[in-house]
Amino acid sequence: MCLFVNKQEARRAAKKAYDVAKVDERVNRAVAAANRAANAARVASVKAVQNQMHRNINKSIPIPIVWGYQLQLLLK
């Protein structure tokens, strides 16, 4: 009887260990997904700031428009 009880306890312990490993894998996947989302958010925010800076620079730098005679002089 004692041997039978020990086998049952060993099986339960093995099942618990297996379940813990499955939970650990799920946690690792969740952490990896959270890290990917955080990195994507950082990249998006940096791009947004860069685009805003480029828009502000383009608004502040006047682009001269050359017509007629002045354009012919530039093309020579």
Side-chain angles (χ1 to χ4, degrees), residues 64-74:
I65 298 174
V66 180
W67 295 101
Y69 182 69
Q70 293 174 339
L71 180 60
Q72 288 174 358
L73 291 176
L74 287 174

Side-chain angles (χ1 to χ4, degrees), residues 6-74:
N6 287 340
K7 276 187 174 178
Q8 283 182 330
E9 288 178 10
R11 284 185 180 147
R12 281 191 215 120
K15 177 142 174 50
K16 283 183 183 179
Y18 178 73
D19 290 343
V20 167
K22 284 173 55 178
V23 170
D24 196 35
E25 180 62 27
R26 281 183 180 169
V27 169
N28 287 340
R29 286 182 189 167
V31 168
N35 285 337
R36 283 193 299 272
N39 285 335
R42 270 190 225 102
V43 168
S45 65
V46 167
K47 283 184 178 181
V49 169
Q50 288 174 341
N51 286 339
Q52 186 67 34
M53 289 172 56
H54 289 303
R55 281 190 213 112
N56 289 340
I57 288 172
N58 289 338
K59 286 180 184 177
S60 64
I61 299 174
I63 299 172
I65 298 174
V66 180
W67 295 101
Y69 182 69
Q70 293 174 339
L71 180 60
Q72 288 174 358
L73 291 176
L74 287 174

